[in-house]
Structures are given as C-alpha cells and as structure tokens.
Amino acid sequence: MTILVTGASGHFGRLVVDSLLARGTAADTIVAGARDVSKVADLAARGVRTARVDYDDPASLAEAVASIDALLLVSGSEPGSRADGHRNVVSAAAAAGVSKFVYTSAPKADTFDWALGADHRATEAAIAESGLPAVVLRNNWYIENYVPDVQRAAESGVIAASVGAAVIAPATRADLAEAAAVVLVDDGHIGAVYELAGDTRVSYDDIAAAAAEVLERDVTYVWLTEAEHVAALEHAGLDTGTAAFVAGIDAGIRDGVLDVEDATLSRLIGRPTTSFVDGIRAALS
C-alpha cells in the first residue's frame, strides 16, 4: 500500500511520516507531499518518496495521487481560505480512485458554528459528496498551541484569555499524528468520524498551573471579557477585523467547542495521551 501524506513539510505531517516509519511502514511506500519538496529533503534522505503537492494547483495534485492507495489530507494553515484547496485534493483523490482518504478536521465540525469551523465543515461535506472511502479525524487543540502563552507568562506571570470557565481536551501533535498513522495503515476505520481528544479535560486555571510548574514561578489565569480581549489585541497591533476573529476563537472555546470527553485517541494509539504539563515541557525543551 502506498500512502501519501500531504503537508509533510509542516509540524503535523512530518510527525505522521515519523510515526508511519516507527510503526514499520516501508519508507518507499510513503510519499511525503509538500508545496516545496526541498523542505522534505531530509525525509527523502531516509528513503521516503516525495511529491509536489499544492492544494491550489490541480495539476500537481493529479500527478501526486496517481497510484496512491491511502491519502492523508492535512488541513491547510490559512483559516477562511482553505476549503477550495481542500476540495481540489478531494476531487483529485476521487478521480484517482484512492481507497482510503483521511482528513484532519476540527472538533464538532458539523454541529458547532465558530471562527475556525467553516472550512472544516465544507471539507467534510465535500468528502461525503465525493463518495470516497474516508475517515475523518476531528483533532482537538494542540497542546503546543499554548507555548506562546507560556512563554509570555515567563515574564508576565499571566495567561489572559476570554474563554471564561471553559474546559478543553487538548493533545500533543505527536499523539494526534500517531493516531493518523494508525488509521492510515490499519483496517476497520472507513466511514468513521473520530473526535480525538486528550484523556484529561483541563481548564485555563489548570493551564496556568501547568505553566507555573514548568516555569517554576507563579502564573495566574486572567479572565477577559470579549471586548477587553479585542481591545488588548488591537493594542498589540492587530487590525479590528483580525482582533475580532482571534477573540472569536476564544468565544468558541468558551461556548464548549473543545470540551470533548472521548477516549478514542488513547484507544487508537494504545496508551494514555500526553498530559498537558508534560506536553508543554517537551515543547519548550
């Protein structure tokens, strides 16, 4: 079986390739797809095949998916402008007869309306309409997303957000990438939509406590109102529209989009997920 991992030059896609190799997948059956193949030269040096994959270039996609059995579509990195590129990948995979199509989506993508959800909802719909044999992985927040907050807290002693008393179920990129590798190589997942979450739900007070443990200093979670958050972001240099979009992400978290209680991730990877404090400590090391 030949497996194409798109976005392989990014953090997540590279970890999926690493996990496939660690699980014994032959290097020459893995294709690392990237817009700039020079950025996956190190993977090529390990025997992994490479291909140019540009979500906005259908010709590159048609060439890359030829003779591919399984494909992982790692979602693009530009919220609000990803859906068309994702549809191009779906169309190319359907035309090529890919036998397993895996997509990294977002929590509650078909039921929750928030700032980051529209692209994922549209992509899931396109996959369903295509008839591709598919698996949808709705990845919760990466623990690594909080590294900048923890780094700022090293100076300020504060983690500020407008999420209120929200709880989330984050996991490390490596945990989620390992789950993607499992789904790519193992049978029995076609048709599944998995809400992938860390074993332990955490509040922002818990996040501040984890930051305090790693930084070895006091750290406090400061509740902001949405208006205060927007004002703070504008003061930091963001334009009004961007500030509102970022604060809208916190609004979704406040309303529960990342509050997922599901053990599917640990079941897939065969071990407990990485704790928040251990994930932050590793990301900062």
Side-chain angles (χ1 to χ4, degrees):
M1 182 174 70
T2 303
I3 301 169
L4 171 62
V5 177
T6 72
S9 61
H11 294 298
F12 187 82
R14 185 175 294 275
L15 286 169
V16 175
V17 173
D18 287 341
S19 186
L20 287 168
L21 292 169
R23 293 178 61 82
T25 305
D28 63 357
T29 66
I30 303 170
V31 181
R35 184 175 296 174
D36 180 353
V37 294
S38 70
K39 293 183 178 179
V40 289
D42 60 313
L43 296 176
R46 297 165 65 187
V48 174
R49 294 158 56 189
T50 64
R52 181 173 176 270
V53 171
D54 183 340
Y55 298 169
D56 298 320
D57 180 359
S60 79
L61 299 174
E63 183 174 353
V65 301
S67 302
I68 292 296
D69 299 299
L71 185 154
L72 173 65
L73 170 56
V74 177
S75 57
S77 58
E78 298 178 6
S81 60
R82 297 177 287 190
D84 286 344
H86 291 175
R87 290 189 190 95
N88 289 338
V89 180
V90 170
S91 296
V98 168
S99 58
K100 183 186 291 186
F101 189 95
V102 183
Y103 174 59
T104 62
S105 190
K108 307 176 185 178
D110 62 342
T111 59
F112 199 101
D113 186 16
W114 72 312
L116 295 181
D119 292 334
H120 295 293
R121 186 181 307 112
T123 303
E124 288 192 18
I127 293 168
E129 291 166 5
S130 74
L132 280 164
V135 187
V136 174
L137 305 178
R138 291 178 176 167
N139 291 346
N140 211 281
W141 227 224
Y142 298 146
I143 289 175
E144 292 87 349
N145 288 351
Y146 292 94
V147 166
D149 297 282
V150 174
Q151 289 172 326
R152 287 190 292 269
E155 296 296 327
S156 67
V158 166
I159 288 179
S162 55
V163 301
V167 292
I168 64 175
T172 62
R173 283 193 183 98
D175 286 352
L176 292 161
E178 187 175 344
V182 169
V183 166
L184 283 165
V185 300
D186 288 355
D187 294 329
H189 301 288
I190 296 297
V193 177
Y194 292 138
E195 295 280 353
L196 299 183
D199 291 338
T200 303
R201 293 152 68 233
V202 296
S203 69
Y204 273 57
D205 284 323
D206 295 325
I207 290 170
E213 180 176 339
V214 171
L215 298 172
E216 299 182 340
R217 64 153 298 164
D218 290 339
V219 177
T220 303
Y221 165 44
V222 174
W223 291 36
L224 301 176
T225 65
E226 190 163 351
E228 288 170 339
H229 195 180
V230 170
L233 292 167
E234 289 177 336
H235 181 72
L238 297 186
D239 63 77
T240 299
T242 303
F245 178 84
V246 173
I249 295 173
D250 272 22
I253 296 172
R254 184 176 64 245
D255 291 341
V257 68
L258 302 181
D259 184 3
V260 175
E261 192 168 9
D262 192 307
T264 300
L265 176 56
S266 55
R267 177 178 62 80
L268 287 173
I269 64 179
R271 58 172 173 79
T273 61
T274 306
S275 70
F276 190 91
V277 68
D278 286 345
I280 283 293
R281 183 177 286 114
L284 290 173
S285 63

